[in-house]
Amino acid sequence: MSSLQMLRASCCPNLLKLGSACSAPGQLVAPSSILSAAPVAASRHYPGGVRHSSGGGGDLQVDKMRNIGISAHIDSGKTTLTERILFYTGRIDAIHEVKGKDGVGATMDSMELERQRGITIQSAATYTMWGDHNINIIDTPGHVDFTIEVERALRVLDGAVLVLCAVGGVQSQTMTVDRQMKRYNVPRIAFINKLDRGGSNPKRVLHQLRSKLKHNAAFIQLPIGLESNCKGLVDVVNERAIYFHGDFGTDVVHDEIPQDMRAEAQDTRDELVEYLANADDVIGEIFLEEKTPTTEDISAAIRRATIAQTFTPVMMGTALKNKGVQPLLDAVVNYLPNPTQVDNFALQQSSSGDETRILMDPTRSGDKPFVALAFKLEQGKFGQLTYLRVYQGTVKRGDSVWNTRTGKKTRLSRLVQMHSNKMEDVNEVYAGDICAVFGVDCASGDSFVIDKNLTLSMESIFVPEPVISMSIKPSDKKSENNFGKAVARFTKEDPTYRVWFDNENKETIASGMGELHLEIYAQRMEREYACKVEMGKPRVAFKETLLEPVTYDFWHRKQSGGRGEYARVIGVMEPLPVEQNMTVDFRDETSGPNIPKPFVPGVKKGFLDCCEKGGYAGQRVTGVRMRLQDGAHHIVDSSEWAFYQASQSAFQDCVEDGKWTVLEPIMTVEVNIPSEFTSAAFSIFNKRAGLIIDQDGRDDWYTITAEVPLNNMFGFSADLRGSTQGKGEYTMEYCRYSPASPETHESVVKKFRDSLEKKDEKGKKKKN
């Protein structure tokens, strides 16, 4: 950058914005938010004065806001990309790499374990400015074991960047993240990262986006060279080349498209218009009339179709080599929605129990009552830190809010906005803001209102069931107190991490989403609570379910002097549809006075308690519905407790009379191996009863995707390394529960029956 251009950038930053207008060939474009030769001076504009919402966010226009998440498969470069975004927007003064290679570590990986392992464990929030737009960013983990972090982040975001590796393409966790985005209707931009890696192939990734994820996707950029020859990008929409010069790619130069790429750029533009025509009516009419759309027409159509989730623009770059990040920021501003363009609903419960969906008003004013969702909890040095997304209204420091679930009133003594693990105090937050508060006793997913009479609750966050368990105990008795504190904290922060006491085996059990998930919490207990723990062997979380309907009719009578117990329950126990095999349901179909309504909750509670541990294989019962159709009561001897006992006895009758089976978790396993080891990989899957569902080859590498029972996955890593000379790698994620194989079924049932027999023998010895 020349001295004149640097002077203009520092004195008149708003005159120089990337993407605000097409520059002439060879012209240098330096947005005010890109750091130049004096990064410290440039960065001073952002954390303080420019961000209006820090002081009095009402003057920040809502159409200038973006709430985005960065999500992807593990090792796709999410955290590296976020680090560049923070650097180019002036939020940080220097770039640091993942794994703390320079002794510092990436800004968003604030936990020591994250920097050591080079993975993101907790989602981290920050905010920054790009031009005159405020961007709230949440960087999420890529590992399937920490999927709840992605789940709750996407629940509160308005848009997302789906990062894909230019070599790996669409991988197993990419599919999971995409499903989560669809669940919460989050518009997204696809960003193909790591163009500098050997074997990078953006066209293959685009094909996978269309075939595997079923996206109506098209390139809006092309690479100028790949691997070590990656020089820049072609902007297909504005028909120009983009180069990134300077030590950290801070100098963005627009030039003419290279001569040898002009035909390809025109073909890509024509393809873009064709795919947009399938998603947007305005471009569709222009396309049918055989007219040529202008650059403004195409940009407007990309924005409309992206927000409507009928089109996915595909961008690219290499974050590590500082190429393609600034145009991505322009795309976030130009193509992703502001809070007013996303419909968010709260549920209002009437006195009759019916729920009505109420559309939230995202206007940044106090005209409508304050409504916010607590989506993440974290224990800080000042107590519990609760992350909130404000959906309506405004709240000031010192105001009191009500938890709609518990009815508790809390005063907000401190409001902060987060920058990774750093906090910046604010006086007031408005609709569209993401903030954090201290001293609020709540659970993840609770809703807060400022009006006590406002019975609103935001739509809940999906929490997956744990799939693996291990016994856990402190190494010495001195640490038991700290162990209890750690368990209380971690189970509150992470709803997929559960710790419970197994009365049968007299041991504490930790359940989670995978071995890494449980291992990380064990290490955190040692680091943060000085409590070293011992972990047992992994256990698979089996379930049991009913295969055919079975009727029940149980008469509970007990008389032992004084008031007795009397209850009769009649009905049907039936299996639920396959898609509901992880839930249980109770239906009261009684009519008339045979079972008074005050006694029905006792029947329901008896059924739900029995489902916690079934009588067929000793596992949790799922996929079952209990229908209460009739019964009888006594005017004196009947009570809710009597019907609770009758319900439990009826359940045991159904266990004995019904046809039951065991369900086991099925995992989606993706293996990447050199082509010469494909037969060895197929052999490994065959030995473990795996079902091959997809296979794909590229250059000298081969990818196999299979569904394998989790019970057969122990030792898989060592087996794969041994069969591929250490060159194979794999990822695994939960897919579904399915009926267990005959061998597994028999083993689980036999183990439970043996434990019952041992228990009976112990009981007889005690009597003797």
Side-chain angles (χ1 to χ4, degrees), residues 319-381:
L320 188 65
K321 301 297 182 184
N322 310 308
K323 291 180 174 65
V325 180
Q326 297 97 321
L328 176 63
L329 280 164
D330 282 334
V332 165
V333 167
N334 294 333
Y335 303 141
L336 290 180
N338 64 58
T340 65
Q341 295 172 310
V342 177
D343 291 338
N344 290 296
F345 293 91
L347 301 176
Q348 187 169 41
Q349 196 161 20
S350 64
S351 55
S352 61
D354 296 331
E355 288 184 340
T356 308
R357 297 178 85 212
I358 307 294
L359 181 64
M360 295 287 96
D361 182 358
T363 307
R364 292 176 69 80
S365 69
D367 297 340
K368 292 289 179 71
F370 168 79
V371 180
L373 174 71
F375 66 93
K376 177 178 166 65
L377 310 178
E378 194 176 285
Q379 192 69 24
K381 55 185 176 182

Side-chain angles (χ1 to χ4, degrees), residues 20 37 43 71 74 114 126 143 292 345 488 559 611 688 706:
S20 59
S43 67
S71 302
I74 188 170
E114 292 179 315
T126 187
H143 204 288
T292 302
F345 293 91
Q559 194 71 42
C611 288
R688 297 171 184 269

Side-chain angles (χ1 to χ4, degrees), residues 512-525:
M513 301 306 297
E515 289 182 74
L516 178 64
H517 191 204
L518 300 180
E519 182 188 332
I520 289 293
Y521 277 117
Q523 290 184 4
R524 289 185 65 187
M525 286 177 188

